[in-house]
C-alpha cells in the first residue's frame, strides 16, 4: 500500500561543517619529558629568551597578520596562556611584554570545532521575538559539532521562519567565542544522589554532606573537605571520598560568555571529566517559569572516553549556562528528553535505559529521575534493532507528539512518531507504521552512513519544523504538516505492512 506523504517535504536549507571555524586553546608540546628529564615547556621558554628583540617583533607581526582575524581578541588569549606558563619562568628573569606574548602564542593552538561534522540539531523559539513580520518565528538551533579526536561540542545558529514556512538562517559566524568559568552553587541533595548513583558511598560522604548547608559554595565545600582531611587517621577511605567530591563538583559548573559576543559565535566545549571526550546531542526545550518568563533547558550525553552519562544544561539568556550531572535510573544511558512542562506536579522525560525502548521517567527537581516505565518497544521492520526519541515532546490538542528514531537492518536510522496522552503520557494513542523520513540518496553518505536523526523539532503554526542530521556529517530541515500527521497517528492505515514512506 502506498502511504501519501506529500505533506512531508525537505527544504533547501542545509548546514555543512566549516573547517575555518577555530577556537584557540592551550597547547602543551607533549607530556613526555625531553632528553635528560627536563620539561619540554621549560625548553620552549629558554628558546624564546634566546631570540633577539627584532626576531620576537617580526614573529609577532607575522602571527597577528595570520591569525588575528580568526579570533576575538587574540592578544588576550596569548596573555591568558602566558599566565598559565608563568610559573616556569625563573623568578629572577623578567620577560618583556612582546616576549610574553610570543610565549603565550607558543602555548596556543587552533582547534577546528566542526572540522569533522555538524549534525543532530534541536530547535526552540528564540527568547527575542521582537520586530518580526506577522506569522514569523525567530528560532535558536543547537548543533553538535565534531572536531579533531572526534570530540563533540555544542554550537548555535539563529534564523527566522515566516508565515509561508520559508526558512532563513542568519549569516554564519566568523569566529568562535569560548566562555569563562563563573562561581557555581551546588545542592546537597544533588551531590548525595550522584555519589550514591556512582559508588554507593555513604559513610565518609555523609559526614561531609552533614556539615554543608542545603545549597553551598566552593568555599563552603572546601571547608567541609578540609574537616574530613583532619580526620584521615580514623577515616581510612577519606582520600577516595575527597576525590569523589572533587569529581562531583567538577561535573557541575557554570560559565559565562562575553557580553559583546553573538549567540552564533558561542561554543560550549567539554570542561568536566565526565564530558572530556564530548558533549553530544543536546535536546533543548523551553520551560515556563512561575514569573511568566522561560528557562531553556536541555539534556545531553556526556562522554568521558569509556562511559556515558546524562547532563542538564540550563540558561535564561544563552549567555550564562549552568551544567548539572543527573542521577537516578531514568537518567542512565543516552537520549533523555524533557517534556516542555510539568504533568501532575512532576517533571517528565522520555528515557531509554534498556538501550532499545522508549520509556517515561519523572523527577521532582529535574536532577534525580525515577525508574522509567516502557511505553514503546521495537515492532516494525525499520526499528528492529532499537528505538529512541528525536527530542522533546510537542504539545498538541490531540496529545504529546513525539518524534522517534528507529534503527533497522543495515543500521539504517529513520525518523518516526508516536502520540501520547496529555494527562498520562505512559498511554500511547497512536504510532506510525512507516517512518516520516528515511535517508535520501544524497543523505546516506557520511561519517556514519544511512542516518537521519533529530534532537528536537519546533511547532510553527500548522507545520512541524524538523531539523535533522544526515549521516553524522551535516544538517538539513524538513517541514511536516501537523494535521495529516496527527490524522495518520490516530487513524493508521488498515494494511498491516505498508511499504512506502517519505
Amino acid at each position: 500500500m502506498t502511504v501519501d506523504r506529500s505533506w512531508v517535504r525537505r527544504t533547501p536549507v542545509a548546514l555543512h561543517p566549516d573547517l575555518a571555524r577555530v577556537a584557540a586553546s592551550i597547547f602543551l608540546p607533549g607530556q613526555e619529558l625531553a632528553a635528560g628529564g627536563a620539561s619540554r615547556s621549560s625548553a620552549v621558554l629558554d628558546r624564546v629568551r634566546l631570540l633577539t628583540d627584532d626576531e620576537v617583533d617580526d614573529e609577532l607581526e607575522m602571527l597577528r597578520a595570520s591569525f588575528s582575524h580568526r579570533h576575538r581578541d587574540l592578544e588576550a588569549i596569548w596573555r591568558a596562556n602566558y599566565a598559565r606558563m608563568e610559573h616556569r619562568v625563573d623568578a629572577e628573569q623578567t620577560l618583556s611584554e612582546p616576549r610574553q606574548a610570543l610565549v603565550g602564542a607558543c602555548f596556543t593552538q587552533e582547534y577546528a570545532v566542526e572540522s569533522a561534522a555538524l549534525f543532530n540539531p534541536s530547535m526552540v523559539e528564540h527568547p527575542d521575538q521582537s520586530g518580526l513580520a506577522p506569522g514569523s518565528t525567530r528560532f535558536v538551533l543547537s548543533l553538535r559539532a565534531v572536531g579533531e579526536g572526534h570530540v563533540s561540542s555544542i554550537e548555535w545558529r539563529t534564523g527566522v521562519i515566516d508565515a509561508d514556512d520559508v526558512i532563513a538562517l542568519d549569516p554564519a559566524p566568523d569566529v568562535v567565542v569560548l566562555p569563562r568559568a563563573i562561581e557555581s552553587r551546588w545542592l546537597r541533595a544533588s551531590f548525595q544522589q550522584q555519589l550514591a548513583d556512582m559508588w554507593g558511598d555513604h559513610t565518609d560522604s555523609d559526614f561531609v554532606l552533614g556539615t554543608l548547608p542545603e545549597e553551598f559554595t566552593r568555599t563552603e565545600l572546601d571547608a567541609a573537605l578540609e574537616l574530613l582531611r583532619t580526620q584521615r587517621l580514623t577515616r581510612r577511605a577519606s582520600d577516595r571520598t575527597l576525590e569523589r567530591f572533587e569529581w562531583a563538583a567538577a561535573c557541575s559548573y557554570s560559565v559565562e560568555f562575553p557580553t559583546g559576543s553573538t549567540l552564533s559565535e558561542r561554543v560550549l566545549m567539554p570542561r568536566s571529566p565526565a564530558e572530556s571526550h564530548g558533549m553530544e546531542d543536546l535536546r533543548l526545550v523551553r520551560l515556563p517559569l512561575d514569573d511568566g518568563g522561560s528557562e531553556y533547558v536541555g539534556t545531553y550525553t556526556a562522554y568521558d572516553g569509556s562511559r556515558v552519562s546524562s547532563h542538564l544544561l540550563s540558561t535564561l539568556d544563552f549567555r550564562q549556562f549552568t551544567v548539572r550531572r543527573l542521577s537516578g535510573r531514568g537518567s542512565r544511558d543516552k537520549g533523555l528528553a524533557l517534556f516542555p512542562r510539568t504533568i501532575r506536579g512532576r517533571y517528565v522525560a522520555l528515557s531509554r535505559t534498556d538501550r532499545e525502548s522508549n520509556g517515561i521517567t519523572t523527577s521532582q527537581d529535574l536532577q534525580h529521575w525515577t525508574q522509567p516505565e516502557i511505553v514503546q518497544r521495537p515492532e516494525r521492520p525499520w526499528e528492529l534493532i532499537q528505538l529512541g526519541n528525536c527530542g522533546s515532546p510537542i504539545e498538541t490538542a490531540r496529545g504529546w507528539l513525539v518524534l522517534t528514531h528507529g534503527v533497522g537492518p543495515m543500521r539504517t536510522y529513520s525518523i518516526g512518531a508516536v502520540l501520547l496522552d496529555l494527562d498520562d503520557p505512559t498511554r500511547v494513542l497512536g504510532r506510525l507504521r512507516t517512518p516520516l523520513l528515511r535517508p535520501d540518496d544524497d543523505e546516506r553518505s557520511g561519517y556514519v552512513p544511512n542516518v537521519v536523526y533529530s534532537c528536537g523539532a519546533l511547532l510553527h503554526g500548522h507545520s512541524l519544523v524538523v531539523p535533522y542530521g544526515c549521516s553524522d556529517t551535516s544538517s538539513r530541515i524538513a517541514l511536516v504538516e501537523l494535521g495529516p500527521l496527527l490524522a495518520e497517528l490516530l487513524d493508521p492505515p488498515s494494511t498491516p505492512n505498508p511499504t512506502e514512506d517519505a
Side-chain angles (χ1 to χ4, degrees):
M1 177 181 175
T2 299
V3 179
D4 176 17
R5 289 286 171 74
S6 59
W7 40 270
V8 180
R9 65 181 179 88
R10 289 165 166 86
T11 73
V13 178
L15 286 160
H16 299 280
D18 180 0
L19 278 63
R21 288 207 73 204
V22 291
S25 62
I26 189 71
F27 170 68
L28 300 176
Q31 298 301 316
E32 75 282 2
L33 297 177
S39 164
R40 290 187 63 196
S41 299
S42 296
V44 172
L45 286 166
D46 289 339
R47 294 175 194 130
V48 173
R49 276 195 292 263
L50 293 174
L51 296 175
T52 67
D53 288 346
D54 286 343
E55 288 175 317
V56 170
D57 291 340
D58 289 345
E59 185 65 15
L60 286 175
E61 183 178 357
M62 184 276 295
L63 290 170
R64 291 181 181 117
S66 298
F67 292 96
S68 289
H69 65 285
R70 293 162 67 93
H71 302 277
R72 183 70 55 79
D73 200 351
L74 183 61
E75 302 277 343
I77 295 170
W78 289 346
R79 288 194 298 270
N81 285 341
Y82 171 75
R84 294 179 177 180
M85 308 306 299
E86 193 172 16
H87 65 281
R88 291 202 172 273
V89 178
D90 293 337
E92 64 275 9
Q93 294 181 332
T94 301
L95 296 183
S96 64
E97 288 189 9
R99 217 167 282 262
Q100 290 180 17
L102 185 56
V103 168
C106 287
F107 293 101
T108 301
Q109 66 176 336
E110 288 189 331
Y111 178 82
V113 293
E114 56 190 67
S115 59
L118 189 66
F119 64 117
N120 290 3
S122 68
M123 183 182 283
V124 293
E125 286 188 13
H126 195 289
D128 180 11
Q129 294 294 318
S130 62
L132 295 177
S136 296
T137 300
R138 182 175 290 115
F139 60 81
V140 175
L141 196 67
S142 75
L143 293 144
R144 176 179 170 185
V146 179
E148 179 184 350
H150 201 74
V151 176
S152 298
S153 304
I154 298 171
E155 289 195 19
W156 315 95
R157 295 290 190 276
T158 57
V160 172
I161 177 169
D162 69 14
D164 297 321
D165 286 349
V166 176
I167 300 169
L169 291 173
D170 294 330
D174 295 322
V175 298
V176 168
V177 177
L178 301 179
R180 66 178 183 89
I182 58 177
E183 183 180 10
S184 292
R185 299 185 69 86
W186 299 285
L187 295 176
R188 182 178 61 201
S190 177
F191 262 55
Q192 188 172 29
Q193 290 158 353
Q194 287 186 55
L195 294 169
D197 220 28
M198 291 293 293
W199 299 288
D201 186 356
H202 293 293
T203 306
D204 288 348
S205 62
D206 284 350
F207 168 76
V208 175
L209 291 166
T211 67
L212 291 168
E214 183 177 340
E215 184 175 341
F216 58 92
T217 64
R218 180 74 233 191
T219 300
E220 291 167 324
L221 177 60
D222 287 341
L225 295 180
E226 184 58 34
L227 185 59
L228 177 62
R229 290 187 181 95
T230 65
Q231 299 190 16
R232 275 177 169 161
L233 187 62
T234 57
R235 296 182 181 275
R236 298 189 177 182
S238 60
D239 286 345
R240 181 177 59 198
T241 301
L242 290 167
E243 291 176 0
R244 290 174 179 176
F245 268 87
E246 291 293 352
W247 177 89
C251 290
S252 297
Y253 59 87
S254 297
V255 296
E256 180 181 73
F257 286 93
T259 54
S261 61
T262 66
L263 177 52
S264 293
E265 292 174 338
R266 299 168 189 164
V267 176
L268 290 165
M269 296 183 68
R271 302 180 73 91
S272 79
E275 63 192 24
S276 59
H277 285 62
M279 306 167 74
E280 303 177 0
D281 299 344
L282 177 68
R283 287 160 159 81
L284 195 63
V285 69
R286 187 176 69 168
L287 284 180
L289 297 175
D290 292 339
D291 62 4
S294 298
E295 181 180 24
Y296 294 84
V297 296
T299 54
Y300 67 90
T301 299
Y303 179 52
D304 68 3
S306 60
R307 298 173 300 182
V308 297
S309 56
S310 292
H311 286 215
L312 184 75
L313 181 73
S314 60
T315 182
L316 295 173
D317 57 6
F318 288 95
R319 193 174 76 85
Q320 290 187 354
F321 293 86
T322 296
V323 166
R324 295 287 182 264
R325 186 184 182 278
L326 303 180
S327 61
R329 289 287 305 175
S331 69
R332 296 185 183 177
D333 202 61
K334 297 182 177 183
L336 194 72
L338 303 173
F339 280 62
R341 63 170 174 85
T342 58
I343 301 175
R344 298 176 182 174
R346 292 184 67 85
Y347 296 102
V348 184
L350 297 161
S351 175
R352 195 188 65 180
T353 57
D354 70 351
R355 306 185 72 179
E356 64 178 27
S357 305
N358 282 321
I360 296 293
T361 179
T362 66
S363 173
Q364 194 64 44
D365 58 5
L366 279 176
Q367 302 282 310
H368 190 72
W369 295 88
T370 60
Q371 174 72 36
E373 180 177 344
I374 301 299
V375 298
Q376 184 192 22
R377 300 183 187 276
E379 293 178 2
R380 303 297 175 187
W382 56 278
E383 58 189 28
L384 289 174
I385 310 301
Q386 67 190 48
L387 277 170
N389 69 73
C390 275
S392 294
I394 293 173
E395 187 170 7
T396 74
R398 308 299 296 273
W400 293 107
L401 176 60
V402 178
L403 294 183
T404 64
H405 71 264
V407 183
M410 296 299 294
R411 201 195 179 194
T412 297
Y413 278 68
S414 304
I415 296 176
V418 296
L419 193 68
L420 308 179
D421 186 81
L422 287 176
D423 296 321
D424 180 10
T426 64
R427 180 170 168 252
V428 178
L429 303 179
R431 63 189 288 178
L432 293 185
R433 294 176 180 269
T434 59
L436 284 176
L437 291 172
R438 278 182 172 164
D440 260 0
D441 287 344
D442 62 347
E443 298 168 341
R444 292 183 56 189
S445 299
Y447 187 80
V448 180
N450 307 307
V451 175
V452 287
Y453 188 98
S454 179
C455 288
L458 173 69
L459 186 59
H460 172 71
H462 299 292
S463 297
L464 192 65
V465 188
V466 185
Y468 63 96
C470 304
S471 297
D472 284 18
T473 300
S474 59
S475 296
R476 297 186 66 179
I477 298 178
L479 293 171
V480 179
E481 293 180 36
L482 182 63
L485 172 57
L486 292 176
E488 187 171 319
L489 281 164
L490 292 168
D491 187 21
S494 58
T495 301
N497 287 305
T499 58
E500 295 187 15
D501 51 77

